[in-house]
Amino acid sequence: VTSRVTVLSALTPYIQRARAFTGWDHSSLKMRSLGGELPWNYEAVATKYASRAGRVLDVGTGGGERFATIAAGSAATFVATEEWGVNARVAYDRLCPAGIALVWASSMRLPFSDSAFELFLSRHEAIEPAECNRVLAPGGRFLTQQCAPDDWRELRRFFPRMTVHPQHDRLYPEAFRDMGYEVSFQRNDYEVAFGTLGDLVFMLMTAPWTIPDFDPQLELDALMAVEAELSRPEGIVLSEGRYLLDARKPG
Ligand SMILES: C[S@@+](CC[C@H](N)C(=O)[O-])C[C@H]1O[C@@H](n2cnc3c(N)ncnc32)[C@H](O)[C@@H]1O
């Protein structure tokens, strides 16, 4: 039987790295989809639309990692928002040299005038459909990739306080349809394997909205139960989903 001390000492480097984490790059994490690639490529679609737009907004840009790539080589005007102060600074440092404005603001109430943008992007950031509609120009486009609201649902029985997200996979498309947008929607569900318990802890600490006040040191028993019950040869396996919503505003 693995002792709590052994588990905690294996988790410690992950906990320390998670506490220092900024930006939004999880590529060092051992976490892989067991479902292969998504059937769409969000960055490719966003880049294609950005190349045709005059003014492009990305909300909740994280450290600006993806938006910098989407904007590279395009002549459009790009603006990003970020609400978390730590990442607003990281995104500013990355985007400013590329001529991209970073505004420290919430995605729910945007400090922009009506019809200011032709393309509104949100990757894994909650949005307010009426606010998107307000800042989008007629004929403009809203493109988002979102995590499914019931991601990692297997964890709920170990952490009953896990956040219950609104059913935005239904609510967002409905809201845009109701506003007269032409809407296309795709969803893909699959399983994801975390290489070690440390990788899962790192993810839960750096996405603190998943389990409010998550503290791996205080919740070691629950984490050890997760490892014991959800481990398969591929790793610790959880259900995950992504959807792509592409909505065009009437001209
Ligand atoms: C899931 S991230 C997506 C970032 C970006 N759109 C991307 O896809 O790379 C969503 C938002 O959560 C913010 N965030 C990350 N860590 C946070 C934390 N510890 N507390 C509050 N917000 C955080 C990010 O800065 C970002 O704006």
Side-chain angles (χ1 to χ4, degrees):
V1 179
T2 319
S3 81
R4 301 176 88 250
V5 176
T6 311
V7 174
L8 191 54
S9 69
L11 292 182
T12 299
Y14 293 91
I15 294 171
Q16 284 170 345
R17 277 199 297 121
R19 285 191 181 133
F21 180 78
T22 62
W24 200 252
D25 177 3
H26 283 85
S27 54
S28 68
L29 205 64
K30 283 204 211 76
M31 175 192 184
R32 72 185 174 94
S33 168
L34 304 180
E37 299 280 306
L38 288 172
W40 62 82
N41 180 330
Y42 169 81
E43 279 181 44
V45 179
T47 304
K48 181 181 80 180
Y49 288 156
S51 71
R52 299 176 189 157
R55 290 155 297 155
V56 182
L57 175 66
D58 181 41
V59 295
T61 200
E65 296 88 346
R66 291 177 180 82
F67 195 41
T69 310
I70 289 165
S74 161
T77 298
F78 292 92
V79 178
T81 69
E82 173 55 43
E83 184 172 16
W84 188 35
V86 173
N87 270 356
R89 164 56 67 180
V90 174
Y92 176 84
D93 289 344
R94 173 172 285 111
L95 298 177
C96 189
I100 301 172
L102 184 282
V103 181
W104 184 17
S106 157
S107 314
M108 301 294 169
R109 286 186 59 215
L110 295 163
F112 306 117
S113 53
D114 296 356
S115 305
F117 298 97
E118 281 121 33
L119 177 61
F120 187 123
L121 300 173
S122 161
R123 183 179 177 279
H124 302 183
E125 170 75 358
I127 54 98
E128 173 51 57
E131 188 65 342
C132 299
N133 180 51
R134 185 184 67 74
V135 301
L136 262 182
R141 196 177 279 276
F142 170 69
L143 179 73
T144 190
Q145 176 175 291
Q146 294 284 340
C147 303
D150 53 353
D151 267 3
W152 309 340
R153 52 189 165 273
E154 296 83 356
L155 293 179
R156 189 173 303 284
R157 79 188 152 91
F158 304 93
F159 300 97
R161 71 182 188 283
M162 196 172 159
T163 301
V164 177
H165 293 288
Q167 298 295 306
H168 49 75
D169 52 338
R170 183 177 54 78
L171 295 169
Y172 288 169
E174 244 172 50
F176 284 95
R177 275 194 199 101
D178 288 350
M179 292 187 294
Y181 284 57
E182 194 185 299
V183 170
S184 103
F185 178 89
Q186 296 178 75
R187 177 169 167 151
N188 190 252
D189 289 279
Y190 50 90
E191 289 179 322
V192 67
F194 290 84
T196 67
L197 189 60
D199 293 296
L200 177 60
V201 163
F202 185 89
M203 192 67 232
L204 294 174
M205 288 181 71
T206 57
W209 49 85
T210 310
I211 300 173
D213 302 318
F214 174 66
D215 183 334
Q217 283 154 318
L218 296 178
E219 302 183 270
L220 210 51
D221 291 334
L223 287 169
M224 288 170 75
V226 166
E227 186 174 39
E229 293 179 43
L230 302 182
S231 285
R232 297 210 313 237
E234 303 90 335
I236 298 173
V237 177
L238 302 177
S239 301
E240 194 176 273
R242 295 284 180 266
Y243 67 85
L244 186 75
L245 169 60
D246 185 339
R248 180 123 200 271
K249 184 168 177 166

